[in-house]
Amino acid sequence: MNRALQTLQERGFIQQCTDLEGLSALMDKGPVTFYVGCDPTGPSLHIGHMVPFFALRHLHEAGHIAIALIGGGTARIGDPSGKTEMRKMLTYEQIDENSERIRKQLDAFIGFDGKTAFTANNKDWLANLNYIDFLRDIGVHFSVNRMLSFEAYRKRMETGLTFIEFNYQLLQSYDFLQLYDRYGCRLQIGGDDQWGNIVAGIELIRRIRGVETYGLTFPLVTTSDGKKMGKTEKGALFLDPALTSPYEFFQYWRNVTDADVKRFLLMFTFLPVSECETLGSAKDSAINRAKERLAWEVTALIHGKEEADKALQAARALFGKGGATGDADAVPTHRIPAKRIEQGILAIDLFVESGLCPSKSEARRLIQQGGAFVNEEKVTDLERILDSTLVQDGILLLRAGKKRYVRVRVE
RNA sequence: GGGGAGAUUCCCGAGUGGUCAAAGGGGGCAGACUGUAAAUCUGUUGGCUCAGCCUUCGUAGGUUCGAAUCCUACUCUCCCCA
C-alpha cells in the first residue's frame, strides 16, 4: 500500500474507503489533491473536529496537496448528518466571522502556503447559485428514494427534517465537483458521519465528468467508555485558548483513561508509531507518565511548546507535593481587589465568584461534603470567612474536589 | 382539512386535587479506594437572606382553602386519514 495511506492505517485513521487499492495506486503515481470540509457553525474548532486535520497533515507531509474547505455557504443551512436536532440558523455575519477564526486556527495547525496547502470557501460558489440551473445540472442526478435510505436522513425523518437540510447532500456533492473542476481534487476525507455525503459527491463527479474520485473516512473518536471525546464540564474542548485555556486542555489529555492512551497518541500526536505503542502499552505509574507525555505533545501542537510547558509545570506544582503556588501561572486565575479580602469574604461567595461553583447552594454542598479547600486546607465551616492572613504572595489557592483549582490573585 | 396522542426538573421517565422541589434510571458533583486512570461502594443533585422562604411540571387565564394534577384559550410536537 502507498506509504502515506499505510501511515494513516497504522495510526488508526482509516474507517472506510471507497476504493483503497485504486486510491493507493493513484497516490503512488504522484501528489494527489484532496480536501477536508468543515462548517463554521461555531466560533472555534474543538478537538472532535481535528481528526481529519491530523490526517490532512500526515498526507500533506507525504507530499499531497491539501485543501481545507470552509463551509461558509453550507453553514447557512446546516448539515443534518449525525444530528438529531435541527441546527439553529446563524446570521451571515456570524458565519463569516466564524470562518475567519477557524481559518486562522487551521493555519496555525497546518501552515497554509497557498500552493500545497490552502483553504477554499464554498460560499464562493454556493452563495449566488441559480436555483433552476442547479436543479437542471445537479439535482437530476440525485434520487430521493436513495437519499431517504441513508441513516442520517432516516433518523431525522422521525424528529423532523426540513427541505433545506435535505438538500445538504447535493451541496456537499457540488463542493466536491467544484474542487475537482478548479483544483483537480480527487479525494475527500472526513469523519465517518460524512460517508454518505462523500459517496454522493463521488457519484456525481463520475456521472458528470466521467472521472473516478475517492473517499476516505475516519472513525468517530469516542473515549473507551463510549462517550464522545473532548467533552468537559464546560462543554467541548475548544482550540481557542479564550474558550478552553491551555491548562484545561492539557488536563483533559492528562486525565484520559488508560485504555485510550495508545489510540490518542497515534491519532493526536506525530510521535513515531513505535513510540506510541511503547508508551501506550505501559502500566501503572508508567502509563501515568505516558499520559503526561500525551498531554504535553497535544498541547504543544495546538497551543505551542511554551504553553505546553507552562501547563505541565502548573499541573506538576498542583498535583505534585500539593499547595504550590509558585510555578502555577497557567492555572485559571480569578482576580479580586485587596480591599475585599481585608474586610473578610465568605468562603462560599469566593467559590462561586471564582467559577468553581455555579451557585451558593452548590458551594454549601461542596463544603458539607468535604470537597472545598483553601490553600489545601479543608473548609469545614459553612460560615467560614477568608481574610488576608491566608494570602501568600498575593495568592489564595482554591480547590473544589480533587482536580479543580483556581488561584485567586489579590490586587 | 379531519381524527387521535402528547408537552414534567440537565436527559429519559413516573406522577392525575393536598403526604410534590416532584419516584426511578442516566448523567453531573462530592467522599472512600487509587496512579490527576478505570471499576466499585457511599452521599448528593432548583435557588436563596437555609430548621424558613421563593421559583419550577409547554404559555396565558380560571375553578378551589389548596393544582404538575380539574376547566378554558393558545403555542408546539408526534401518529393516523385526506
Short mmCIF file of all heavy atoms in Angstrom, two decimals, chain A residues 165-197:
data_model
loop_
_atom_site.label_atom_id
_atom_site.label_comp_id
_atom_site.label_asym_id
_atom_site.label_seq_id
_atom_site.Cartn_x
_atom_site.Cartn_y
_atom_site.Cartn_z
N GLU A 165 -32.40 21.33 4.74
CA GLU A 165 -31.40 20.43 5.28
C GLU A 165 -31.27 19.19 4.41
O GLU A 165 -30.21 18.62 4.25
CB GLU A 165 -31.81 19.98 6.68
CG GLU A 165 -31.64 21.06 7.71
CD GLU A 165 -32.07 20.55 9.06
OE1 GLU A 165 -33.29 20.55 9.31
OE2 GLU A 165 -31.22 20.14 9.83
N PHE A 166 -32.40 18.82 3.84
CA PHE A 166 -32.44 17.65 2.98
C PHE A 166 -31.53 17.86 1.77
O PHE A 166 -31.02 16.92 1.20
CB PHE A 166 -33.90 17.45 2.55
CG PHE A 166 -34.13 16.18 1.81
CD1 PHE A 166 -33.93 14.96 2.42
CD2 PHE A 166 -34.59 16.21 0.50
CE1 PHE A 166 -34.17 13.79 1.73
CE2 PHE A 166 -34.83 15.05 -0.19
CZ PHE A 166 -34.62 13.83 0.43
N ASN A 167 -31.33 19.09 1.40
CA ASN A 167 -30.50 19.41 0.25
C ASN A 167 -29.01 19.43 0.54
O ASN A 167 -28.21 19.60 -0.36
CB ASN A 167 -30.89 20.79 -0.30
CG ASN A 167 -32.12 20.71 -1.16
OD1 ASN A 167 -32.00 20.54 -2.36
ND2 ASN A 167 -33.29 20.80 -0.57
N TYR A 168 -28.68 19.25 1.79
CA TYR A 168 -27.28 19.37 2.18
C TYR A 168 -26.36 18.47 1.34
O TYR A 168 -25.29 18.89 0.89
CB TYR A 168 -27.11 19.02 3.66
CG TYR A 168 -25.77 19.42 4.18
CD1 TYR A 168 -25.55 20.70 4.65
CD2 TYR A 168 -24.71 18.53 4.16
CE1 TYR A 168 -24.31 21.09 5.10
CE2 TYR A 168 -23.46 18.91 4.60
CZ TYR A 168 -23.26 20.19 5.07
OH TYR A 168 -22.03 20.57 5.50
N GLN A 169 -26.84 17.27 1.14
CA GLN A 169 -26.03 16.32 0.40
C GLN A 169 -25.72 16.80 -1.02
O GLN A 169 -24.62 16.59 -1.53
CB GLN A 169 -26.75 14.98 0.34
CG GLN A 169 -25.89 13.88 -0.18
CD GLN A 169 -26.58 12.56 -0.03
OE1 GLN A 169 -27.38 12.15 -0.86
NE2 GLN A 169 -26.29 11.87 1.04
N LEU A 170 -26.67 17.44 -1.65
CA LEU A 170 -26.44 17.94 -3.00
C LEU A 170 -25.36 19.01 -2.98
O LEU A 170 -24.49 19.06 -3.84
CB LEU A 170 -27.73 18.55 -3.58
CG LEU A 170 -28.73 17.59 -4.21
CD1 LEU A 170 -29.45 16.80 -3.15
CD2 LEU A 170 -29.70 18.34 -5.09
N LEU A 171 -25.44 19.85 -1.98
CA LEU A 171 -24.48 20.94 -1.90
C LEU A 171 -23.06 20.42 -1.65
O LEU A 171 -22.10 20.88 -2.23
CB LEU A 171 -24.88 21.93 -0.81
CG LEU A 171 -26.22 22.63 -1.08
CD1 LEU A 171 -26.56 23.56 0.06
CD2 LEU A 171 -26.16 23.41 -2.39
N GLN A 172 -22.97 19.44 -0.75
CA GLN A 172 -21.64 18.90 -0.47
C GLN A 172 -21.08 18.17 -1.68
O GLN A 172 -19.88 18.22 -1.95
CB GLN A 172 -21.68 17.98 0.76
CG GLN A 172 -20.28 17.57 1.20
CD GLN A 172 -20.25 16.95 2.58
OE1 GLN A 172 -21.08 17.26 3.43
NE2 GLN A 172 -19.30 16.07 2.81
N SER A 173 -21.95 17.51 -2.42
CA SER A 173 -21.51 16.83 -3.63
C SER A 173 -21.02 17.86 -4.65
O SER A 173 -20.02 17.67 -5.33
CB SER A 173 -22.66 16.03 -4.24
OG SER A 173 -23.09 15.06 -3.33
N TYR A 174 -21.75 18.96 -4.69
CA TYR A 174 -21.40 20.04 -5.61
C TYR A 174 -20.04 20.64 -5.23
O TYR A 174 -19.25 21.00 -6.11
CB TYR A 174 -22.51 21.08 -5.57
CG TYR A 174 -22.37 22.19 -6.58
CD1 TYR A 174 -22.38 21.92 -7.95
CD2 TYR A 174 -22.24 23.52 -6.17
CE1 TYR A 174 -22.27 22.94 -8.88
CE2 TYR A 174 -22.13 24.54 -7.09
CZ TYR A 174 -22.14 24.26 -8.45
OH TYR A 174 -22.02 25.26 -9.36
N ASP A 175 -19.79 20.73 -3.95
CA ASP A 175 -18.48 21.21 -3.47
C ASP A 175 -17.36 20.36 -4.08
O ASP A 175 -16.36 20.89 -4.58
CB ASP A 175 -18.37 21.07 -1.95
CG ASP A 175 -19.11 22.17 -1.21
OD1 ASP A 175 -19.49 23.17 -1.85
OD2 ASP A 175 -19.33 22.01 0.01
N PHE A 176 -17.53 19.07 -3.95
CA PHE A 176 -16.50 18.16 -4.45
C PHE A 176 -16.30 18.39 -5.95
O PHE A 176 -15.17 18.50 -6.44
CB PHE A 176 -16.91 16.70 -4.16
CG PHE A 176 -15.79 15.71 -4.17
CD1 PHE A 176 -16.01 14.39 -3.74
CD2 PHE A 176 -14.51 16.05 -4.58
CE1 PHE A 176 -14.99 13.45 -3.74
CE2 PHE A 176 -13.47 15.10 -4.58
CZ PHE A 176 -13.72 13.80 -4.17
N LEU A 177 -17.41 18.51 -6.65
CA LEU A 177 -17.33 18.76 -8.10
C LEU A 177 -16.58 20.06 -8.39
O LEU A 177 -15.71 20.11 -9.25
CB LEU A 177 -18.75 18.83 -8.69
CG LEU A 177 -18.85 19.13 -10.19
CD1 LEU A 177 -18.27 17.99 -11.01
CD2 LEU A 177 -20.30 19.39 -10.59
N GLN A 178 -16.90 21.10 -7.66
CA GLN A 178 -16.23 22.39 -7.84
C GLN A 178 -14.73 22.27 -7.58
O GLN A 178 -13.92 22.80 -8.33
CB GLN A 178 -16.83 23.43 -6.89
CG GLN A 178 -18.18 23.96 -7.33
CD GLN A 178 -18.06 24.87 -8.55
OE1 GLN A 178 -17.08 25.58 -8.72
NE2 GLN A 178 -19.08 24.83 -9.41
N LEU A 179 -14.39 21.57 -6.51
CA LEU A 179 -12.97 21.44 -6.18
C LEU A 179 -12.24 20.58 -7.20
O LEU A 179 -11.06 20.79 -7.47
CB LEU A 179 -12.82 20.86 -4.76
CG LEU A 179 -13.26 21.81 -3.65
CD1 LEU A 179 -13.21 21.11 -2.30
CD2 LEU A 179 -12.37 23.05 -3.61
N TYR A 180 -12.99 19.64 -7.78
CA TYR A 180 -12.39 18.84 -8.84
C TYR A 180 -12.14 19.74 -10.06
O TYR A 180 -11.05 19.74 -10.63
CB TYR A 180 -13.29 17.67 -9.22
CG TYR A 180 -12.82 16.98 -10.48
CD1 TYR A 180 -11.70 16.15 -10.44
CD2 TYR A 180 -13.44 17.21 -11.71
CE1 TYR A 180 -11.21 15.57 -11.61
CE2 TYR A 180 -12.97 16.63 -12.87
CZ TYR A 180 -11.85 15.80 -12.82
OH TYR A 180 -11.37 15.24 -13.96
N ASP A 181 -13.14 20.49 -10.42
CA ASP A 181 -13.01 21.36 -11.60
C ASP A 181 -11.94 22.43 -11.41
O ASP A 181 -11.17 22.72 -12.32
CB ASP A 181 -14.34 22.05 -11.90
CG ASP A 181 -15.35 21.09 -12.52
OD1 ASP A 181 -14.94 19.98 -12.93
OD2 ASP A 181 -16.55 21.43 -12.58
N ARG A 182 -11.91 23.02 -10.24
CA ARG A 182 -10.99 24.12 -10.01
C ARG A 182 -9.56 23.68 -9.74
O ARG A 182 -8.61 24.32 -10.17
CB ARG A 182 -11.45 24.96 -8.82
CG ARG A 182 -12.72 25.73 -9.11
CD ARG A 182 -13.29 26.32 -7.83
NE ARG A 182 -14.59 26.93 -8.13
CZ ARG A 182 -14.92 28.17 -7.79
NH1 ARG A 182 -14.08 28.91 -7.12
NH2 ARG A 182 -16.11 28.64 -8.11
N TYR A 183 -9.43 22.61 -8.94
CA TYR A 183 -8.08 22.23 -8.49
C TYR A 183 -7.71 20.79 -8.82
O TYR A 183 -6.66 20.32 -8.39
CB TYR A 183 -7.98 22.42 -6.97
CG TYR A 183 -8.39 23.79 -6.49
CD1 TYR A 183 -9.57 23.96 -5.77
CD2 TYR A 183 -7.59 24.90 -6.76
CE1 TYR A 183 -9.96 25.21 -5.33
CE2 TYR A 183 -7.98 26.17 -6.31
CZ TYR A 183 -9.16 26.32 -5.60
OH TYR A 183 -9.53 27.56 -5.17
N GLY A 184 -8.56 20.10 -9.51
CA GLY A 184 -8.27 18.70 -9.81
C GLY A 184 -8.32 17.81 -8.58
O GLY A 184 -7.62 16.80 -8.48
N CYS A 185 -9.13 18.19 -7.63
CA CYS A 185 -9.23 17.45 -6.38
C CYS A 185 -9.84 16.06 -6.60
O CYS A 185 -10.90 15.93 -7.19
CB CYS A 185 -10.09 18.25 -5.39
SG CYS A 185 -10.25 17.46 -3.81
N ARG A 186 -9.14 15.03 -6.13
CA ARG A 186 -9.58 13.66 -6.42
C ARG A 186 -9.98 12.88 -5.17
O ARG A 186 -10.40 11.73 -5.28
CB ARG A 186 -8.43 12.88 -7.09
CG ARG A 186 -7.96 13.45 -8.42
CD ARG A 186 -8.95 13.19 -9.54
NE ARG A 186 -9.19 11.79 -9.82
CZ ARG A 186 -8.41 11.02 -10.60
NH1 ARG A 186 -7.34 11.52 -11.16
NH2 ARG A 186 -8.72 9.75 -10.81
N LEU A 187 -9.79 13.48 -4.02
CA LEU A 187 -10.06 12.71 -2.80
C LEU A 187 -10.70 13.60 -1.75
O LEU A 187 -10.27 14.74 -1.54
CB LEU A 187 -8.73 12.14 -2.26
CG LEU A 187 -8.72 11.58 -0.83
CD1 LEU A 187 -9.56 10.30 -0.75
CD2 LEU A 187 -7.28 11.30 -0.39
N GLN A 188 -11.74 13.07 -1.12
CA GLN A 188 -12.32 13.78 0.01
C GLN A 188 -12.18 12.93 1.25
O GLN A 188 -12.48 11.74 1.23
CB GLN A 188 -13.81 14.09 -0.23
CG GLN A 188 -14.43 14.81 0.95
CD GLN A 188 -15.90 15.20 0.78
OE1 GLN A 188 -16.50 15.78 1.64
NE2 GLN A 188 -16.47 14.87 -0.36
N ILE A 189 -11.69 13.55 2.31
CA ILE A 189 -11.58 12.81 3.56
C ILE A 189 -12.45 13.50 4.61
O ILE A 189 -12.78 14.68 4.48
CB ILE A 189 -10.12 12.73 4.06
CG1 ILE A 189 -9.53 14.11 4.33
CG2 ILE A 189 -9.26 11.99 3.04
CD1 ILE A 189 -8.10 14.07 4.87
N GLY A 190 -12.85 12.75 5.60
CA GLY A 190 -13.71 13.35 6.63
C GLY A 190 -14.13 12.32 7.65
O GLY A 190 -13.76 11.14 7.57
N GLY A 191 -14.90 12.75 8.61
CA GLY A 191 -15.42 11.87 9.64
C GLY A 191 -16.37 10.85 9.03
O GLY A 191 -16.93 11.08 7.95
N ASP A 192 -16.56 9.76 9.71
CA ASP A 192 -17.40 8.70 9.14
C ASP A 192 -18.85 9.12 8.97
O ASP A 192 -19.58 8.55 8.17
CB ASP A 192 -17.30 7.44 10.00
CG ASP A 192 -17.72 6.21 9.22
OD1 ASP A 192 -17.21 6.03 8.09
OD2 ASP A 192 -18.57 5.45 9.70
N ASP A 193 -19.28 10.12 9.70
CA ASP A 193 -20.65 10.61 9.53
C ASP A 193 -20.83 11.28 8.16
O ASP A 193 -21.94 11.55 7.74
CB ASP A 193 -21.03 11.57 10.66
CG ASP A 193 -20.03 12.72 10.82
OD1 ASP A 193 -18.89 12.59 10.36
OD2 ASP A 193 -20.40 13.74 11.40
N GLN A 194 -19.71 11.55 7.50
CA GLN A 194 -19.78 12.19 6.18
C GLN A 194 -19.80 11.18 5.04
O GLN A 194 -19.88 11.56 3.87
CB GLN A 194 -18.57 13.12 6.00
CG GLN A 194 -18.53 14.26 6.97
CD GLN A 194 -19.75 15.13 6.85
OE1 GLN A 194 -20.16 15.49 5.76
NE2 GLN A 194 -20.40 15.42 7.99
N TRP A 195 -19.73 9.91 5.36
CA TRP A 195 -19.64 8.87 4.36
C TRP A 195 -20.68 9.02 3.24
O TRP A 195 -20.34 9.04 2.06
CB TRP A 195 -19.76 7.50 5.02
CG TRP A 195 -19.69 6.34 4.06
CD1 TRP A 195 -20.72 5.56 3.66
CD2 TRP A 195 -18.52 5.84 3.38
NE1 TRP A 195 -20.28 4.61 2.78
CE2 TRP A 195 -18.93 4.77 2.59
CE3 TRP A 195 -17.17 6.22 3.37
CZ2 TRP A 195 -18.05 4.03 1.79
CZ3 TRP A 195 -16.30 5.49 2.57
CH2 TRP A 195 -16.73 4.42 1.80
N GLY A 196 -21.91 9.14 3.63
CA GLY A 196 -22.98 9.25 2.65
C GLY A 196 -22.79 10.45 1.72
O GLY A 196 -22.94 10.34 0.50
N ASN A 197 -22.44 11.56 2.29
CA ASN A 197 -22.25 12.77 1.50
C ASN A 197 -21.03 12.65 0.58
O ASN A 197 -21.05 13.15 -0.55
CB ASN A 197 -22.05 13.97 2.42
CG ASN A 197 -23.30 14.29 3.23
OD1 ASN A 197 -24.40 13.90 2.86
ND2 ASN A 197 -23.13 14.96 4.35
#
